[in-house]
Amino acid sequence: MNAPYDRVALIGLGLIAGSMALAMRRAGMTAEIVGTARSAETRAAAERRSFCDRVVVTAAEAVANADLVVLAVPVGAMAAVAAEIGPHLMPGATVTDVGSVKRAVIDDVAPHIPPGVHFIPGHPLAGTERSGPDSGFAELFDNRFCLLIDEGADPQALTRLADFWKALGAQVETMDADHHDRVLAVTSHTPHLIAYTMVGVADDLRRVTDSEVIRYSAAGFRDFTRIAASDPTMWRDVFLNNREATLEILGRFTEELFALQRAIRKGDGDHLHAYFTRTRAIRRGIVEAGQDTDAPDFGRGGRS
Amino acid sequence: MNAPYDRVALIGLGLIAGSMALAMRRAGMTAEIVGTARSAETRAAAERRSFCDRVVVTAAEAVANADLVVLAVPVGAMAAVAAEIGPHLMPGATVTDVGSVKRAVIDDVAPHIPPGVHFIPGHPLAGTERSGPDSGFAELFDNRFCLLIDEGADPQALTRLADFWKALGAQVETMDADHHDRVLAVTSHTPHLIAYTMVGVADDLRRVTDSEVIRYSAAGFRDFTRIAASDPTMWRDVFLNNREATLEILGRFTEELFALQRAIRKGDGDHLHAYFTRTRAIRRGIVEAGQDTDAPDFGRGGRS
């Protein structure tokens, strides 16, 4: 059994950091939680929610004597934060992050980590379309995967961090960074870009159809609007930092979409039916694997 | 106040018809419900669920003396059913349907409706990814829109049908068929095609990533798999029968997607951020309009 952490520094105080603090308290962890955020408004909101023991102004200050440092800022801000905290990290401390891409974060952060400090990148697969310090809740990570990058990780530091995430409710898996980025390009990044695009098209058409696009968005589109309500800064950084994998999946996507579009134009019902039958099986795989932990939501789904 | 119906014929016994029968009973309607389906297996399942008073073998038989006839078959099957029932419809009866496209259904059905019978096309915006007679439930239409096509409709017959749907829990709106098809192409048909495509791409990649695409589908993609699990026959018919509007929206969609793809390739973060900020506002519009009747589902949405 690994020792729990004594002092945890949360850099960035949004949905993820706030939920981590609340989940730590729920788990009965006694670690001091020190939080910081660049914006005074965010720091004030975190003070009001009081999920940190102390909210400080700079990241350098926050990491002093912390044995766990969590970088919970948008991926594009990681390099600057790492440069700031590097000289102030305690020997033996673990630095982790919660960014949605991993190779770019490693490239940005690793050069600033001094010898004797462990850097173990991470990514909890959890979230909502809400953001900011008021959006966190202790249950966010329950039964969700947290992916930790094990490339060159110190085994003991890795196990300690994994235990921490398990105590927060997550199911921990390890993989390398490139593999992570490829898998997430399919399961998350490209779907988000597509949802953003579809909602943007609908917005263009709003004047044509008055507000009916919103009014009658019961099926299909409503899920897209929820996905496309996610934090713009976070997602800008995801696409800029997982560019190759996302562009590759997008290329495959448009290829397939054009084939279906041609089938519609030509009236090729057999092609459409065969395609739609194949995709149905994937859903069954998810449900049977017990990975669909959400309650069935009648009246929202597939038909219209 | 319009008289309720005395005998309702349900042609097709899937999710929608089954839910209609259960919602009629919940509303205390005393109408005799006569159901039929082409497949003996479906008829047997409907008998077991016993949501009809009688299950008969042919559509012609089902409509005898019915003052409301509901065509609840895939859009591609409407013409054949209409041809079969036309000569057997009772004078003064109302025929409606629940298809997801309306112009094509009118073209297929109207020529078979004899004088003295009212044809009022309809479309309840409700459903799940489940299908078949065992998937129905009485609450399916609660607080959902039911769109009725008022082109040339007899006002009294229209009001009577609207009252019927309201008693089933729905909120009724009227519009013309072309407008319906344009709005639904944006809010439902194109999003479904896109979800099917994305899930198909992921399926192709399954061997590359083992089953991780399913395992780590927590954010974004999971919504797509649910949408893409919808009934293949129904959706094939939707795309074949709302071809023009769907292709037009698809054209706009790929145009926008290419612009975003170029922004990713060029590293144009400002373009991405501005786009993602704009789409976020649409979600707020839906939530503020009180049209998001589903409970907030933490842990499923936008982030990863």
Side-chain angles (χ1 to χ4, degrees):
Chain A
M1 188 60 188
N2 280 273
Y5 300 106
D6 291 322
R7 180 178 290 178
V8 176
L10 301 174
I11 316 296
L13 294 170
L15 168 70
I16 298 295
S19 298
M20 288 179 75
L22 295 167
M24 284 171 69
R25 293 312 181 210
R26 185 189 61 166
M29 292 183 192
T30 55
E32 188 191 21
I33 303 177
V34 184
T36 189
R38 204 178 44 177
S39 130
E41 196 186 333
T42 303
R43 291 196 302 270
E47 296 265 26
R48 277 197 305 276
R49 278 291 295 269
S50 56
F51 51 72
C52 297
D53 295 300
R54 286 191 292 133
V55 175
V56 298
V57 176
T58 68
E61 206 178 336
V63 304
N65 298 312
D67 48 4
L68 178 65
V69 174
V70 181
L71 308 180
V73 297
V75 166
M78 295 281 181
V81 168
E84 180 186 347
I85 64 172
H88 305 277
L89 293 166
M90 186 172 75
T94 292
V95 175
T96 188
D97 77 303
V98 298
S100 302
V101 303
K102 298 273 61 84
R103 178 57 63 203
V105 168
I106 292 173
D107 290 346
D108 285 353
V109 172
H112 301 287
I113 303 296
V117 173
H118 308 291
F119 176 43
I120 304 174
H123 180 199
L125 302 185
T128 74
E129 72 274 20
R130 295 171 191 83
S131 50
D134 291 320
S135 57
F137 53 102
E139 299 77 20
L140 179 61
F141 308 108
D142 286 352
N143 302 310
R144 299 289 157 183
F145 284 108
C146 180
L147 307 179
L148 298 180
I149 305 304
D150 56 4
E151 291 170 41
D154 174 80
Q156 205 182 338
L158 179 62
T159 309
R160 194 177 177 194
L161 184 61
D163 286 347
F164 171 81
W165 274 109
K166 286 175 195 164
L168 267 49
Q171 194 174 334
V172 174
E173 298 286 340
T174 57
M175 58 176 64
D176 71 50
D178 292 330
H179 188 73
H180 169 279
D181 289 356
R182 276 198 305 271
V183 170
L184 270 290
V186 182
T187 60
S188 174
H189 304 167
T190 307
H192 271 80
L193 191 74
I194 289 164
Y196 274 121
T197 307
M198 187 64 227
V199 174
V201 169
D203 189 40
D204 287 342
L205 292 168
R206 261 209 294 189
R207 273 158 303 176
V208 183
T209 59
D210 302 315
S211 63
E212 293 177 320
V213 166
I214 286 175
R215 199 169 160 77
Y216 303 127
S217 70
F221 183 69
R222 179 158 303 176
D223 290 321
F224 283 50
T225 66
R226 189 160 42 76
I227 298 170
S230 305
D231 183 52
T233 302
M234 177 196 140
W235 282 100
R236 175 198 65 195
D237 289 357
V238 165
F239 296 119
L240 295 180
N241 288 284
N242 197 18
R243 187 159 67 170
E244 299 310 318
T246 303
L247 290 175
E248 195 211 314
I249 302 302
L250 268 179
R252 288 171 183 262
F253 172 82
T254 47
E255 210 173 276
E256 300 254 353
L257 185 64
F258 286 158
L260 288 171
Q261 191 170 329
R262 197 175 55 235
I264 293 173
R265 199 181 296 279
K266 290 168 60 184
D268 184 351
D270 291 344
H271 180 92
L272 296 173
H273 194 274
Y275 200 94
F276 300 162
T277 303
R278 183 163 73 94
T279 56
R280 194 172 216 191
I282 296 203
R283 178 69 183 172
R284 297 220 173 99
I286 289 177
V287 173
E288 279 162 18
Q291 286 301 320
D292 192 34
T293 52
D294 310 302
D297 49 350
F298 292 127
R300 162 137 95 175
R303 188 182 185 287
S304 168
Chain B
M1 187 63 186
N2 281 273
Y5 301 107
D6 291 322
R7 180 178 290 179
V8 176
L10 301 174
I11 316 296
L13 295 170
L15 167 69
I16 299 295
S19 298
M20 288 178 75
L22 294 168
M24 286 171 68
R25 292 313 182 209
R26 186 190 60 166
M29 293 182 192
T30 55
E32 187 190 22
I33 302 176
V34 184
T36 188
R38 203 177 45 175
S39 130
E41 197 186 332
T42 303
R43 292 196 302 270
E47 296 264 26
R48 276 197 308 276
R49 277 292 294 270
S50 55
F51 53 72
C52 297
D53 295 300
R54 286 191 293 131
V55 175
V56 298
V57 176
T58 69
E61 205 178 337
V63 304
N65 298 312
D67 46 5
L68 178 65
V69 174
V70 180
L71 310 180
V73 298
V75 167
M78 294 282 181
V81 168
E84 180 186 348
I85 63 172
H88 305 277
L89 292 167
M90 187 172 77
T94 292
V95 176
T96 189
D97 77 303
V98 298
S100 302
V101 303
K102 298 272 60 87
R103 177 59 61 203
V105 167
I106 292 172
D107 289 347
D108 285 354
V109 171
H112 301 288
I113 304 295
V117 172
H118 308 291
F119 175 44
I120 303 174
H123 180 198
L125 302 185
T128 75
E129 72 273 20
R130 295 172 191 82
S131 50
D134 290 321
S135 58
F137 54 102
E139 299 77 20
L140 180 62
F141 308 109
D142 287 352
N143 302 311
R144 298 287 158 185
F145 284 109
C146 180
L147 307 180
L148 298 180
I149 305 304
D150 55 5
E151 292 171 39
D154 174 81
Q156 206 183 337
L158 180 62
T159 309
R160 193 177 179 194
L161 183 61
D163 286 347
F164 170 81
W165 273 109
K166 286 174 196 165
L168 266 49
Q171 195 174 335
V172 174
E173 299 286 341
T174 57
M175 59 177 63
D176 71 48
D178 291 331
H179 189 73
H180 169 278
D181 288 357
R182 275 196 306 271
V183 170
L184 269 290
V186 183
T187 61
S188 174
H189 304 166
T190 308
H192 271 81
L193 192 73
I194 289 165
Y196 274 122
T197 307
M198 187 65 229
V199 175
V201 169
D203 190 41
D204 286 343
L205 292 168
R206 260 210 295 191
R207 272 158 303 175
V208 182
T209 59
D210 303 317
S211 63
E212 292 178 319
V213 166
I214 286 176
R215 197 168 162 78
Y216 302 127
S217 69
F221 183 68
R222 179 159 303 175
D223 290 319
F224 283 49
T225 65
R226 189 161 42 75
I227 299 170
S230 306
D231 183 53
T233 302
M234 176 195 141
W235 282 99
R236 176 198 64 197
D237 288 356
V238 165
F239 296 118
L240 295 179
N241 289 284
N242 196 18
R243 187 160 66 171
E244 298 310 320
T246 303
L247 289 176
E248 194 211 314
I249 301 302
L250 268 179
R252 288 171 183 261
F253 171 82
T254 47
E255 210 173 276
E256 301 254 354
L257 185 64
F258 286 157
L260 289 171
Q261 190 169 330
R262 198 175 53 235
I264 293 173
R265 200 180 295 281
K266 290 169 60 185
D268 184 351
D270 291 344
H271 180 92
L272 297 173
H273 194 274
Y275 201 95
F276 301 162
T277 302
R278 183 164 72 95
T279 56
R280 193 173 217 190
I282 295 202
R283 178 68 183 174
R284 297 221 173 98
I286 290 177
V287 172
E288 280 161 18
Q291 287 301 322
D292 192 33
T293 52
D294 310 303
D297 51 348
F298 293 128
R300 159 135 99 176
R303 189 183 185 286
S304 166

